Amino acid sequence: MAYRILVVGAGAVGGYFGARLAQAGRDVTFVVRPGRADQIRRDGIRVRSRHGDLNLTPKITTAAELAEPYDLVLLSVKGFALDAALDDVAAAIGPASVVLPVLNGMRHMDRLAERFGTGPVLGGVCMVATELDSDGQIIQLADIQKLIYGELGGELTERIERVDEAIRGAGFDAAISPDIVQAMWEKWVMLASLGAACCLLRGSVGEIVGVPGGTQVARAILDESVAVARVSGHPPSPAFMQRTVSMMTAPGSPQTSSMYRDLLKGGEVEVDPIIGDLVLRADRAGVEVPLLRAASVNLSVYSARREAERGR
């Protein structure tokens, strides 16, 4: 029997990896909202990538149509859409199902455990820079395209090997991690630091470090994030620190965070799960994070104003 994969959402991340899996012949179905379903039925899923463009008409369904469990549920929504997504996919998660979340931060892990228990949940990290354009196309912005996944306890189980078999060899990098929780924390530190720097200082990495004091502020934001990870029992590795410092202080770099790109477009931003949750953990541990707090408040003000304007 085919290993059935349900991809929750067909946005920039889920659409990209799901399309690659479908192209590679995996049994993939996307569960999407009615508006996105109409768009995909009309135009298909279109990926524009330096690794090869895709135009395909995949299997899609809506939450109302889900009636039986899937083997693997790839959860790839934004943090602010998590609760609605969990309601949508409840019927697809059975006793033998495995849930692979690739959301940012760690708060979603608690929500998944509350809803479905810890049994079906893996840890996951995606590394990709993609966005949806105004026509619903998925545009890849950088070369990196990787999924890593693992059991939360680090064991090499039969089910994680089946997940690996289903994902590996689908046109992107994929691997089992022996310490996926550490990998999730390191990605969180990187995303929160880059997002806080870009959104608070309103610029790309190159623009930030190109002005007096920019490099020092970028480093200070990273140091705050690292301090929270350290007190939480997940100090980043020296190799991670070397890569991340280099990335956040590279002269002339056009790199920005997805949160900053969403901000510039006037879209909804993932402030609470990425930056706000780090600030909450810092407060509980007695760690001072003034720059992260400033970024969190700044983005919360933006979000509140955006909601007020939408409600008029």
Side-chain angles (χ1 to χ4, degrees):
M1 181 180 293
Y3 192 82
R4 301 173 68 229
I5 302 171
L6 183 69
V7 178
V8 184
V13 174
Y16 183 82
F17 286 111
R20 292 289 181 203
L21 287 165
Q23 181 195 35
R26 310 305 198 264
D27 187 351
V28 175
T29 301
F30 293 87
V31 57
V32 293
R33 296 287 176 169
R36 181 64 167 151
D38 290 342
Q39 187 178 52
I40 292 172
R41 290 189 184 103
R42 183 182 67 247
D43 302 324
I45 288 184
R46 296 161 294 160
V47 175
R48 299 295 172 257
S49 165
R50 62 197 72 191
H51 296 288
D53 293 346
L54 292 178
N55 293 275
L56 69 154
T57 305
K59 292 192 290 186
I60 61 172
T61 187
T62 62
E65 297 168 330
L66 284 175
E68 58 185 7
Y70 282 72
D71 298 299
L72 173 63
V73 177
L74 179 62
L75 188 62
S76 60
V77 298
K78 296 275 192 179
F80 47 73
L82 176 62
D83 288 342
L86 297 186
D87 290 339
D88 288 347
V89 302
I93 299 175
S97 300
V98 179
V99 181
L100 174 56
V102 291
L103 285 77
N104 298 320
M106 294 295 293
R107 192 172 65 175
H108 63 282
M109 299 300 288
D110 294 334
R111 290 291 297 112
L112 282 164
E114 290 167 4
R115 185 66 184 267
F116 303 116
T118 57
V121 183
L122 301 174
V125 171
C126 72
M127 301 175 187
V128 70
T130 50
E131 64 181 12
L132 279 182
D133 71 8
S134 58
D135 293 325
Q137 295 184 115
I138 299 166
I139 310 299
Q140 188 171 20
L141 305 174
D143 284 338
I144 190 167
Q145 47 169 12
K146 186 173 185 178
L147 281 181
I148 59 175
Y149 33 82
E151 297 283 2
L152 296 177
E155 309 92 343
L156 185 63
T157 61
E158 180 179 349
R159 73 173 185 173
I160 196 63
E161 290 181 328
R162 288 202 69 195
V163 169
D164 185 56
E165 182 181 357
I167 293 177
R168 190 185 291 271
F172 54 85
D173 297 328
I176 298 173
S177 169
D179 193 352
I180 191 63
V181 175
Q182 179 67 19
M184 292 168 72
W185 265 94
E186 289 188 350
K187 184 187 177 186
W188 188 12
V189 166
M190 184 275 291
L191 277 180
S193 301
L194 180 63
C198 291
C199 293
L200 185 62
L201 303 175
R202 293 298 195 271
S204 66
V205 167
E207 290 170 329
I208 291 167
V209 303
V211 301
T215 297
Q216 290 89 335
V217 173
R219 281 298 309 267
I221 290 172
L222 175 59
D223 289 344
E224 289 183 5
S225 300
V226 169
V228 180
R230 184 175 291 115
V231 78
S232 301
H234 297 280
S237 68
F240 167 85
M241 289 302 300
Q242 183 177 8
R243 291 193 306 271
T244 306
V245 169
S246 177
M247 179 269 293
M248 289 192 63
T249 60
S253 170
Q255 181 150 4
T256 59
S257 71
S258 59
M259 193 186 316
Y260 180 57
R261 296 191 295 271
D262 289 338
L263 178 69
L264 291 179
K265 292 186 292 187
E268 193 166 1
V269 295
E270 287 187 283
V271 55
D272 289 336
I274 297 179
I275 301 176
D277 194 32
L278 267 188
V279 173
L280 290 175
R281 292 171 191 251
D283 287 344
R284 289 198 294 264
V287 175
E288 294 296 323
V289 289
L291 292 170
L292 287 174
R293 190 182 308 279
S296 180
V297 171
N298 180 297
L299 288 167
S300 295
V301 169
Y302 161 82
S303 295
R305 181 188 301 125
R306 180 178 179 273
E307 285 304 306
E309 291 174 349
R310 284 164 58 88
R312 289 175 184 170

